[in-house]
Amino acid sequence: MAAHRCSCWSWLLILFSLSVFVVADIHETTPVNDHHGGVDHNAQTAEQTADQPAVEERRWEATEVKEAATVDAAADIQGTSAPETVVPSSVPQPKDDFQEELVIRPLHSGDIYASFQFRTLWDTDFMRENKVSHYRLFPKSLGQVISKFSVRELHISFTQGYWRTMQWGQPFIPSPPGAELWVWFQDSVTDVDATWKELTNVLSGIFCASLNFIDSTNTVQPSASFKPLGLGNVTDHSFLRYATLPREIVCTENLTPWKKLLPCGSKVNVPPFTCAFFFLKKRGTSMPSVSVLSFLLTMFSEQAGLAVLLKSEKLFHSSFHSQAVHIRSVCQDWQCKTTSWELRQTLNSVFDLHNSGQTKREWSLFKMFSRTLTEACPLASSSKLYIDITDNPQGEQFELSPATSLLSQAVVLGDRRTFSVYDLTQETTFGTVRSLNLLIRWKSNEGEMLRPLLHAERYVAGYGLQTGEIHTLMYNNHPYRSFPVLLLDSVPWYLRLYIHTLSVTSKGKDNKPSYIHYEPSKDRVKPHLLEMLIQLPPNSVTEVTVQFERALLKWTEYPPDPNHGFYVGSSVISSLVPSTVAMHTNSTRERPLFSSFFPCKEESSYFVRIYTEPLLVNLPTPDFSMPYNVICLTCTVVAVGYGSLYNLLTRSFQIEEPNPGLAKRIANVIRRMRGVPPL
Amino acid sequence: MAITEVERRRGQLAALSIAAVVIIVGVPLWWRTTETYRAWLPVSQIKDLAKLQLHLSADVEVVFARGTVTPEQQKKVPLTQTQDEEHTVDEDTTLRYRYETKYRTATIMEEDAMKKPTAAEADLSLHMLSESPCGSLVVYVIPESSSLLPEDVNVYIGQRRTALVRISAQMRVGKTLEQLLAQLEPQIKQVLQVMSFSHTDITVALSDRVRFRPGNKESIADSMRAFKSSPGYEITFSLLNPDPKSHQLHWDIEGAVQTYIQPLLTKLSPLANFSMDSQTLYYTMLGVTPRFDSSFEAYTLNADSLAHVINPVEARLGSNAASSNPVLNFLLYVPDIRHSPLYIHDHRKQEVPSNAFHSPRWGGIMVYNVNGFYGSETEFPVHVNINMAKVMGVFLAQLRLLLGVQSLSPPPGFLVAPCGSTGLADWELDRLMWSRSVENIATATTTITSLAQLLDQIGNIVINDNIAQQVSSAVTSLQLAMAELEVGNLGFALQYSKEAILASEKAFFDPSLLHLLYFPDDQKFAIYIPLFLPMCVPILLSMLKIVSEARQRRREKQAKKE
């Protein structure tokens, strides 16, 4: 046994003395005949250059590897040290998986809705004792957040603009204007509030957003509205925290860190122009066409797949922009024996094509994103582009080029939609130009849109700066079905809700909510939380009103003078809405007769969450030069009062002889001049 | 007349009582309400700390093996000697080193141990016999006939805290023990310089307190390379794959970390907490486009451009979300197919054999070429299994440098045992602990003294109780650490110095110190004047009047008497 080990050792030693680079220090690697002065000089210049802090902040030194250390360490891996090899075809299945997709839906308003989804799945358990620390596709920063803060589920969204449900229909993933964050913690967390505070600070660093402004005054614990979307049926809402920052402005600085989380989405390195022209020459093209230019740009960019399209200058030139990160645990297989973590990064944009000075209604990937697609992300197991052609079954509305024969049907938000599918992992998708520039040319402007079954709006009524009234209107456009909705309102403490004035009316009648959860606010500590379960009658408008009083703030709590006012976050309406598919019992669409008898044959209802507009409220603002004026005024009053009191107390009063009259005084003066004693 | 006199008297009394009320009630009330809360700080002890006198003492045991001392000499041992060295680093900092040397003869078991065939085995069995505590050393003096050491080697430095010194013939010329010891001393001193703290190390560790004199560039470079002492470090290994389309890389980082890095970190655990993670980053380019060098048939990166290499990569590395400890970055860069193979050239345009570089206080980067796998009909992507032994060998060397384990070249005639599987000898750890304790003490004292100075200068800062408590605990820990250093308890000294640094940083960076109630004096007066002027002027005037009247009356009385 010993002999065997000995031979093993010596074999390893030989192996590593061959494979390990034996490096000496710079000074030692100089040939022996080199004169020493030169070496010293070199070393010195190296230091001098290193001392120039602006150019080279760091001193770089060649790494010297000690043979001994490596050999000894290598001896520890007993025989398992496989030298570098080409992995045979049976590659071990990686435990993580990445998918990307883009859905494009032409909206009836003439806008284009583009929705990116990137999904990373990882079969791991962040809550294990030995914490996970080796990351491949899953971003390290988020993994550390999950394991450090014991997060069960995390949803964060940044939105610029307001989603117009009436014009655009339902979004795939709804989000309120500004920033929204809701997190379910594991039951192992003891101090949820402290963890939440720390988590928001860390997330604010990761996403370059003002999430650190989330504190107890805008955090609520909804009891019913936000249930976990992933695995685990938790009912104890003390582990849930929900907060919105309606004032948050989303811009490129939020997009860059979001893109960094993607495996294929790093920064673009634009090549020098000479290089580009060299390529043009090589390809024999005299005029750079759109596709060639775009091909060149993507060729030199350090990214691939759909992330190529995420250019901030185009994405933010849109009517609506929303980016989100959703982390949850999902089942690994249909039996759900093991779970894996899912990271879903979504980005939704609505591009207003009329605004960009177009006479012709025409739309292409290049026009919208100033890039075309050339390849899928090599790390993605699936990379697809979907175009919603439901409203265009025969091609009478718009023309799609290049055409694809691949069609897919899916029931999205209770509606059966048809999509043209472009699979980016297939070479044929890109054609001969090796670039996919999707083009939609409209033929007609008409087209009617199904009104969304549920939508809501909200506004502040009233006049003056003392009281007001919040009105929330919820529309049920279903012709014959009523359904319940959960309304969540989180109102900051400085609007003091008069909860006794809460009234819910639909069709002119009082509509008593079947469930009301109200947590009153505490000044400077927590906001109002109002949750109600309301049944919306068919084809009706339900109005929820509540009166409030505006509070006076302390003088340091007011924002600087040039401000918008105070924002109140959107109301959240969550509901199971009856499916539209089921609604069309007399559908004219061509469908087999056997499939259209029972109204509820497909999913009878679907989950919808909609957000109302945020409110902007003015609070009574005092004149801030007042304090000094008040100080001066009160001091003067005090001084006058005190002065007269003081005089009264300290002066001694004597009876003075009455003043002689004016004539007498004049007479006395004359008498004095004459030397006669006065009167 | 009498009535007016009574009236006047009453007025005077009223004015006096108002003044008394203002002085007795008003002034304290004003003082109390406008006072800022300042908890008591141990100012005098902090002032003592500003003058730092560090005593470092190490226990050295010199053991004479059989055949090295004559029987007459042997009678005089055991014997204890102390040597003191004093250095003044600058006007506020003095160092005193004390070596307590104990001389004794070897026990029978030690004699047996020294009969082992090789020095390494002897070292191991001597270590088994007696475990010497942190910071102490045992030097065994062996006769010249001993076969433990090769011919040209006089001193063997083991993996633990022992050294073997061979006595040479000319040392034994003296008859008395004193002469022998005097002969031995230079050699033992050399051993101490290698295995225990040296003056240069300690002065480097004091760099937080003491400004370097220019001209000492090499030691500055050394001191700047290593990370500052910190209670914890995050080690991040990143695999950069700029071309995932052509290369599919597989690295067994989990196993490699367990095999190569973890033993070293376990050994270093008394020093700091380490946590490790790894990530793979795709489409990350270096900041510099490598140039094709036709003479090498390869792309090259020059040492001058290395400073620009890392900046775009660093943006993707991401900071550690879970802690605020310093991060050591180790990057493995696999060049894309268009820039492959890629070699790093040093200042003399020579290839760096390890193909790796490190940046002081940041981390290291290694370029790993995979062009050997490209064949004529290679199917892309190429699946490559990265040889972690090669990579980790480089990273381990870089990690040692960045943590401040200096591999100094031993003086001639010295043989240093190769460090074992842990990658770190005990005495290397001791050296690190000495300098880290001193560094922690230096940092903590500067933090505490500058905090005290700041609080002293700005009287408006509120000092909360918890800050005062942190400051006093930092001061106590500092005093304890210095006391332990003086006694030679290295482990405790390091522990206390860590506590001191934690407490002092906590106090210094406490956010409550930022709640600075700062009102400029002119604003204060603008607010005080409308209130105080109309109130105080009548009081002052009537006081003056009373005083002058009293004086006049006295004068009148004196005039009457005369």
Side-chain angles (χ1 to χ4, degrees):
Chain A
M1 186 61 206
H4 171 73
R5 190 180 291 166
C6 212
S7 71
C8 185
W9 263 66
S10 59
W11 184 80
L12 274 168
L13 275 168
I14 292 164
L15 183 84
F16 280 100
S17 53
L18 286 173
S19 66
V20 167
F21 285 82
V22 186
V23 190
D25 199 358
I26 302 184
H27 307 274
E28 286 165 60
T29 45
T30 26
V32 188
N33 53 6
D34 199 356
H35 54 280
H36 268 270
V39 178
D40 283 344
H41 176 71
N42 271 351
Q44 213 170 6
T45 47
E47 260 148 26
Q48 275 162 3
T49 48
D51 285 346
Q52 298 169 354
V55 190
E56 288 174 64
E57 284 174 33
R58 301 194 172 103
R59 256 179 69 97
W60 288 88
E61 296 167 64
T63 303
E64 166 194 0
V65 182
K66 266 194 154 183
E67 186 189 15
T70 329
V71 171
D72 276 344
D76 278 7
I77 41 158
Q78 275 133 26
T80 52
S81 71
E84 46 198 276
T85 45
V86 177
V87 177
S89 53
S90 63
V91 183
Q93 199 61 41
K95 285 176 81 186
D96 43 4
D97 176 58
F98 176 70
Q99 290 174 316
E100 54 179 12
E101 82 181 31
L102 165 63
V103 183
I104 289 169
R105 175 191 278 181
L107 298 172
H108 293 276
S109 57
D111 302 316
I112 295 280
Y113 173 35
S115 170
F116 292 87
Q117 286 216 22
F118 302 91
R119 186 170 87 144
T120 313
L121 272 175
W122 194 14
D123 311 343
T124 187
D125 189 2
F126 284 105
M127 303 306 151
R128 261 187 335 202
E129 277 305 304
N130 50 340
K131 55 176 193 173
V132 181
S133 53
H134 301 288
Y135 299 88
R136 202 178 80 97
L137 293 174
F138 205 88
K140 183 171 76 109
S141 50
L142 289 183
Q144 281 173 335
V145 165
I146 295 172
S147 54
K148 181 173 183 197
F149 299 105
S150 303
V151 171
R152 181 192 291 276
E153 213 168 276
L154 185 149
H155 303 269
I156 185 167
S157 76
F158 300 97
T159 309
Q160 187 70 24
Y162 176 66
W163 181 271
R164 292 165 209 291
T165 318
M166 276 310 277
Q167 291 170 37
W168 297 340
Q170 284 292 340
F172 295 123
I173 289 174
S175 56
E180 182 199 39
L181 174 66
W182 57 285
V183 176
W184 276 93
F185 292 98
Q186 301 277 359
D187 336 336
S188 53
V189 181
T190 46
D191 190 351
V192 182
D193 285 313
T195 320
W196 166 251
K197 182 79 202 138
E198 218 176 317
L199 173 69
T200 52
N201 279 316
V202 167
L203 288 177
S204 127
I206 291 177
F207 291 104
C208 278
S210 338
L211 296 174
N212 51 330
F213 284 106
I214 291 178
D215 52 12
S216 68
T217 61
N218 47 21
T219 303
V220 290
Q221 299 174 34
S223 63
S225 292
F226 288 90
K227 286 290 160 206
L229 296 181
L231 285 174
N233 196 9
V234 222
T235 44
D236 188 0
H237 64 270
S238 62
F239 293 106
L240 168 68
R241 291 292 180 277
Y242 173 84
T244 53
L245 293 173
R247 214 173 75 170
E248 181 73 16
I249 289 166
V250 184
C251 204
T252 37
E253 79 266 22
N254 305 108
L255 182 68
T256 314
W258 183 88
K259 254 163 77 178
K260 254 197 244 174
L261 302 174
L262 294 172
C264 283
S266 83
K267 225 176 73 185
V268 180
N269 208 2
V270 181
F273 264 97
T274 49
C275 202
F277 280 113
F278 170 74
F279 251 83
L280 288 175
K281 251 187 219 164
K282 220 175 162 186
R283 287 174 61 96
T285 336
S286 53
M287 278 286 286
S289 69
V290 164
S291 63
V292 172
L293 207 80
S294 157
F295 168 74
L296 278 174
L297 280 170
T298 43
M299 202 174 149
F300 287 100
S301 70
E302 297 172 12
Q303 52 187 184
L306 294 172
V308 171
L309 303 178
L310 301 172
K311 300 289 299 167
S312 56
E313 69 265 22
K314 284 286 180 185
L315 281 182
F316 288 100
H317 193 75
S318 56
S319 318
F320 175 83
H321 171 92
S322 166
Q323 62 193 62
V325 170
H326 302 275
I327 299 172
R328 57 179 180 174
S329 56
V330 293
C331 285
Q332 220 170 75
D333 41 24
W334 63 275
Q335 284 174 311
C336 212
K337 276 179 187 154
T338 46
T339 61
S340 47
W341 283 84
E342 182 197 67
L343 164 71
R344 222 179 249 257
Q345 288 181 256
T346 65
L347 188 142
N348 296 297
S349 266
V350 174
F351 293 91
D352 184 356
L353 290 177
H354 291 307
N355 261 357
S356 19
Q358 308 278 315
T359 46
K360 236 185 337 177
R361 275 187 81 187
E362 193 181 283
W363 168 90
S364 74
L365 275 185
F366 188 78
K367 253 184 205 157
M368 196 152 73
F369 300 107
S370 76
R371 287 278 185 288
T372 60
L373 291 168
T374 52
E375 57 174 347
C377 171
L379 305 159
S381 61
S382 116
S383 177
K384 285 193 174 110
L385 179 65
Y386 294 90
I387 310 281
D388 192 336
I389 52 158
T390 317
D391 307 321
N392 187 33
Q394 261 81 48
E396 69 270 12
Q397 270 210 341
F398 52 79
E399 185 188 5
L400 199 63
S401 76
T404 176
S405 56
L406 224 57
L407 287 181
S408 142
Q409 277 209 339
V411 177
V412 188
L413 297 168
D415 196 2
R416 197 188 290 105
R417 316 290 299 186
T418 317
F419 298 93
S420 288
V421 186
Y422 296 84
D423 191 348
L424 303 183
T425 47
Q426 303 294 319
E427 278 290 318
T428 49
T429 312
F430 301 103
T432 47
V433 284
R434 286 175 62 198
S435 151
L436 176 66
N437 183 19
L438 208 63
L439 193 82
I440 294 179
R441 209 173 275 120
W442 267 267
K443 291 175 181 164
S444 65
N445 268 335
E446 61 202 62
E448 91 316 350
M449 193 190 75
L450 196 70
R451 289 176 74 195
L453 287 183
L454 172 68
H455 85 104
E457 52 194 48
R458 191 158 73 138
Y459 57 90
V460 176
Y463 54 87
L465 282 175
Q466 198 194 350
T467 54
E469 196 168 34
I470 298 178
H471 288 248
T472 311
L473 302 176
M474 289 176 286
Y475 297 85
N476 176 4
N477 293 330
H478 200 285
Y480 55 84
R481 292 269 300 264
S482 74
F483 52 86
V485 295
L486 255 175
L487 174 74
L488 170 90
D489 248 327
S490 159
V491 181
W493 62 266
Y494 39 78
L495 301 187
R496 300 202 170 112
L497 291 187
Y498 293 153
I499 204 69
H500 67 275
T501 61
L502 177 73
S503 78
V504 185
T505 48
S506 34
K507 288 182 167 170
K509 273 182 286 177
D510 199 30
N511 184 350
K512 199 163 174 284
S514 47
Y515 166 79
I516 295 186
H517 173 77
Y518 174 67
E519 281 177 31
S521 73
K522 229 186 225 173
D523 277 7
R524 295 174 185 86
V525 177
K526 68 180 208 176
H528 302 268
L529 170 68
L530 178 61
E531 272 187 291
M532 287 186 287
L533 185 69
I534 305 168
Q535 188 80 20
L536 300 187
N539 208 0
S540 69
V541 187
T542 305
E543 186 173 19
V544 179
T545 58
V546 63
Q547 287 179 10
F548 64 87
E549 186 194 49
R550 298 162 211 245
L552 267 174
L553 302 181
K554 287 182 178 166
W555 70 284
T556 46
E557 287 168 346
Y558 282 97
D561 272 353
N563 63 8
H564 293 170
F566 287 82
Y567 282 86
V568 179
S570 312
S571 305
V572 189
I573 295 161
S574 325
S575 166
L576 280 175
V577 175
S579 179
T580 354
V581 179
M583 198 167 88
H584 296 288
T585 39
N586 52 353
S587 172
T588 49
R589 290 192 192 171
E590 213 166 292
R591 257 195 288 162
L593 290 177
F594 62 80
S595 71
S596 55
F597 179 63
F598 288 111
C600 304
K601 64 185 170 16
E602 265 171 276
E603 300 156 62
S604 61
S605 55
Y606 61 100
F607 181 78
V608 160
R609 179 170 289 151
I610 59 173
Y611 293 91
T612 63
E613 301 93 333
L615 299 177
L616 192 54
V617 182
N618 280 317
L619 291 188
T621 311
D623 171 11
F624 285 109
S625 64
M626 275 306 274
Y628 187 66
N629 299 350
V630 168
I631 288 172
C632 286
L633 191 73
T634 45
C635 288
T636 314
V637 168
V638 166
V640 165
Y642 162 81
S644 35
L645 191 72
Y646 187 84
N647 269 345
L648 274 176
L649 286 174
T650 55
R651 286 279 159 87
S652 50
F653 295 94
Q654 308 175 3
I655 298 159
E656 221 173 71
E657 275 159 40
N659 259 349
L662 185 66
K664 203 175 179 182
R665 262 192 277 174
I666 294 168
N668 273 344
V669 170
I670 297 166
R671 285 172 80 98
R672 207 179 292 153
M673 283 163 70
R674 282 172 57 201
V676 187
L679 286 172
Chain B
M1 194 60 209
I3 293 169
T4 48
E5 186 52 36
V6 167
E7 270 293 295
R8 223 168 49 79
R9 199 88 211 120
R10 190 196 55 79
Q12 279 181 356
L13 280 176
L16 278 174
S17 52
I18 285 175
V21 166
V22 165
I23 289 165
I24 292 165
V25 180
V27 172
L29 193 72
W30 169 73
W31 188 259
R32 290 287 299 174
T33 48
T34 57
E35 181 191 46
T36 50
Y37 181 74
R38 288 168 78 84
W40 178 84
L41 293 179
V43 182
S44 63
Q45 291 175 39
I46 293 172
K47 271 193 189 129
D48 292 344
L49 286 177
K51 281 226 179 293
L52 187 64
Q53 281 183 321
L54 270 183
H55 295 255
L56 275 71
S57 68
D59 290 336
V60 185
E61 223 174 336
V62 178
V63 182
F64 291 103
R66 194 180 300 146
T68 49
V69 277
T70 55
E72 306 89 75
Q73 289 171 338
Q74 203 176 336
K75 273 178 203 152
K76 291 194 180 158
V77 289
L79 175 80
T80 311
Q81 278 186 348
T82 44
Q83 283 160 306
D84 280 327
E85 267 179 63
E86 203 152 341
H87 296 271
T88 311
V89 185
D90 68 354
E91 64 265 29
D92 285 341
T93 316
T94 49
L95 291 171
R96 186 195 274 166
Y97 307 132
R98 167 185 290 241
Y99 299 102
E100 286 195 30
T101 322
K102 252 187 239 161
Y103 299 94
R104 65 176 173 88
T105 50
T107 60
I108 301 162
M109 271 142 86
E110 282 169 338
E111 290 289 348
D112 284 347
M114 277 186 275
K115 282 192 189 118
K116 289 271 161 60
T118 62
E121 281 173 55
D123 179 42
L124 180 66
S125 42
L126 284 173
H127 169 73
M128 300 292 243
L129 283 177
S130 63
E131 187 136 358
S132 43
C134 256
S136 65
L137 289 177
V138 188
V139 180
Y140 291 93
V141 182
I142 53 173
E144 71 240 76
S145 54
S146 170
S147 58
L148 280 176
L149 302 180
E151 274 309 306
D152 51 341
V153 173
N154 284 328
V155 178
Y156 174 84
I157 290 172
Q159 280 187 23
R160 281 93 194 173
R161 298 185 178 92
T162 49
L164 302 176
V165 174
R166 180 168 22 207
I167 199 159
S168 56
Q170 68 262 30
M171 282 185 192
R172 303 179 61 175
V173 284
K175 272 282 164 221
T176 61
L177 186 67
E178 281 72 30
Q179 277 170 323
L180 176 70
L181 295 185
Q183 289 286 338
L184 259 176
E185 189 170 333
Q187 214 153 28
I188 286 175
K189 203 150 199 180
Q190 267 185 326
V191 172
L192 286 178
Q193 288 289 315
V194 173
M195 293 181 73
S196 191
F197 51 85
S198 65
H199 184 57
T200 43
D201 277 4
I202 300 299
T203 41
V204 162
L206 283 171
S207 62
D208 243 25
R209 282 182 69 91
V210 186
R211 283 193 182 280
F212 270 108
R213 289 172 296 277
N216 199 2
K217 271 197 172 145
E218 206 42 57
S219 69
I220 297 176
D222 276 352
S223 69
M224 273 173 53
R225 189 190 300 125
F227 269 84
K228 292 246 118 208
S229 179
S230 152
Y233 298 97
E234 312 285 327
I235 301 175
T236 302
F237 297 97
S238 306
L239 171 65
L240 307 185
N241 184 1
D243 195 4
K245 216 176 166 189
S246 325
H247 303 140
Q248 278 216 6
L249 306 172
H250 306 272
W251 70 337
D252 177 27
I253 182 71
E254 227 155 320
V257 155
Q258 280 305 320
T259 321
Y260 300 99
I261 309 289
Q262 196 56 53
L264 175 69
L265 298 187
T266 317
K267 186 103 190 204
L268 283 171
S269 56
L271 226 53
N273 298 322
F274 293 91
S275 73
M276 281 181 293
D277 45 35
S278 79
Q279 59 182 344
T280 312
L281 298 176
Y282 301 94
Y283 291 101
T284 33
M285 292 283 191
L286 298 182
V288 181
T289 318
R291 231 174 264 154
F292 187 73
D293 195 331
S294 45
S295 60
F296 290 98
E297 290 283 308
Y299 289 86
T300 59
L301 269 181
N302 281 328
D304 304 328
S305 59
L306 284 167
H308 310 286
V309 157
I310 217 70
N311 290 353
V313 179
E314 199 172 15
R316 295 263 339 253
L317 290 178
S319 52
N320 196 314
S323 82
S324 49
N325 289 331
V327 183
L328 286 82
N329 291 294
F330 294 101
L331 312 183
L332 183 67
Y333 180 75
V334 179
D336 54 329
I337 193 161
R338 294 197 302 271
H339 295 119
S340 196
L342 175 65
Y343 294 107
I344 298 173
H345 281 197
D346 61 20
H347 291 285
R348 286 185 307 284
K349 306 275 170 234
Q350 297 218 323
E351 213 172 272
V352 176
S354 59
N355 222 359
F357 265 72
H358 61 267
S359 173
R361 294 191 189 171
W362 185 83
I365 177 165
M366 178 183 180
V367 177
Y368 189 93
N369 287 311
V370 293
N371 56 311
F373 301 115
Y374 306 151
S376 47
E377 63 264 8
T378 317
E379 208 175 294
F380 286 104
V382 189
H383 292 271
V384 179
N385 227 349
I386 288 169
N387 179 0
M388 292 313 281
K390 182 171 139 188
V391 174
M392 282 298 155
V394 173
F395 284 165
L396 199 62
Q398 287 173 341
L399 183 63
R400 277 170 59 97
L401 283 174
L402 292 169
L403 289 177
V405 185
Q406 278 152 14
S407 33
L408 35 92
S409 46
F414 274 55
L415 178 71
V416 178
C419 45
S421 53
T422 55
L424 196 71
D426 281 358
W427 55 269
E428 280 181 307
L429 182 66
D430 282 359
R431 274 180 75 103
L432 210 55
M433 282 167 82
W434 282 116
S435 56
R436 283 294 149 98
S437 322
V438 173
E439 190 183 335
N440 286 350
I441 290 173
T443 316
T445 49
T446 29
T447 313
I448 283 294
T449 42
S450 52
L451 177 65
Q453 213 178 340
L454 179 82
L455 294 179
D456 193 39
Q457 270 173 7
I458 306 175
N460 273 328
I461 297 184
V462 177
I463 306 175
N464 285 334
D465 281 335
N466 69 323
I467 291 177
Q469 198 202 330
Q470 295 287 357
V471 169
S472 3
S473 79
V475 169
T476 342
S477 309
L478 269 175
Q479 285 165 341
L480 281 170
M482 279 151 74
E484 294 290 353
L485 267 189
E486 201 171 337
V487 183
N489 281 339
L490 187 51
F492 285 114
L494 184 69
Q495 188 56 40
Y496 285 127
S497 72
K498 273 205 282 194
E499 280 165 21
I501 212 164
L502 274 180
S504 66
E505 302 272 300
K506 227 183 204 168
F508 194 85
F509 293 109
D510 196 287
S512 76
L513 289 180
L514 284 175
H515 289 278
L516 180 72
L517 291 171
Y518 178 68
F519 292 112
D521 283 342
D522 49 344
Q523 286 189 15
K524 259 190 230 169
F525 281 112
I527 289 173
Y528 285 153
I529 279 174
L531 183 65
F532 286 160
L533 209 62
M535 287 192 129
C536 294
V537 167
I539 295 178
L540 276 179
L541 284 181
S542 44
M543 287 297 112
L544 283 177
K545 204 175 156 199
I546 289 169
V547 169
S548 66
E549 266 177 24
R551 218 182 266 165
Q552 208 181 341
R553 210 174 302 149
R554 206 187 297 154
R555 218 176 288 146
E556 275 169 18
K557 260 185 194 168
Q558 273 182 348
K560 252 183 210 170
K561 268 184 191 168
E562 281 163 12

